[in-house]
Amino acid sequence: MDNRVNSNNLPTEVSVWTKIRNFLCQDIALELTPKQEKVFQEVHDFWTQEITGEKVHDFLFYEITGEKVKNFLFKEIKITDNIEL
């Protein structure tokens, strides 16, 4: 009966694995700018969107024409910020 583990006899030294687990699983607080929050929300909405058979069909059988390719390749690009190279 002396070999039983008693809750009062817990080890006093914290093991390496407990330290690693506590480090990896600690709570963190993020402060995001409104733009970052918007991007995170858009990514979340994309990954959690509902996918239906009709959407898959429309994607797989999208009609590609020469005019659509031309419009894609020669699309007007707007520069919204001052970019220096």
Side-chain angles (χ1 to χ4, degrees), residues 20-42:
I20 292 172
R21 185 194 67 203
N22 290 341
F23 175 75
L24 294 176
C25 298
Q26 64 185 340
D27 291 332
I28 59 170
L30 294 177
E31 294 182 13
L32 302 174
T33 65
K35 188 173 183 178
Q36 290 171 328
E37 287 179 8
K38 180 181 178 222
V39 170
F40 273 102
Q41 185 62 44
E42 289 174 357

Side-chain angles (χ1 to χ4, degrees), residues 5-81:
V5 176
N6 189 350
S7 63
N8 294 335
N9 295 331
L10 294 175
T12 57
E13 187 176 328
V14 179
S15 71
V16 173
W17 293 114
T18 303
K19 290 179 183 179
I20 292 172
R21 185 194 67 203
N22 290 341
F23 175 75
L24 294 176
C25 298
Q26 64 185 340
D27 291 332
I28 59 170
L30 294 177
E31 294 182 13
L32 302 174
T33 65
K35 188 173 183 178
Q36 290 171 328
E37 287 179 8
K38 180 181 178 222
V39 170
F40 273 102
Q41 185 62 44
E42 289 174 357
V43 170
H44 176 267
D45 293 344
F46 173 78
W47 283 111
T48 57
Q49 67 182 332
E50 184 178 344
I51 298 175
T52 62
E54 183 179 344
K55 288 182 180 179
V56 172
H57 177 271
D58 292 344
F59 176 77
L60 292 176
F61 295 100
Y62 181 74
E63 183 181 352
I64 299 175
T65 63
E67 184 176 341
K68 289 182 181 179
V69 172
K70 183 187 95 173
N71 291 340
F72 175 76
L73 292 175
F74 299 107
K75 186 174 8 178
E76 182 179 338
I77 299 173
K78 285 186 174 182
I79 298 176
T80 59
D81 200 1

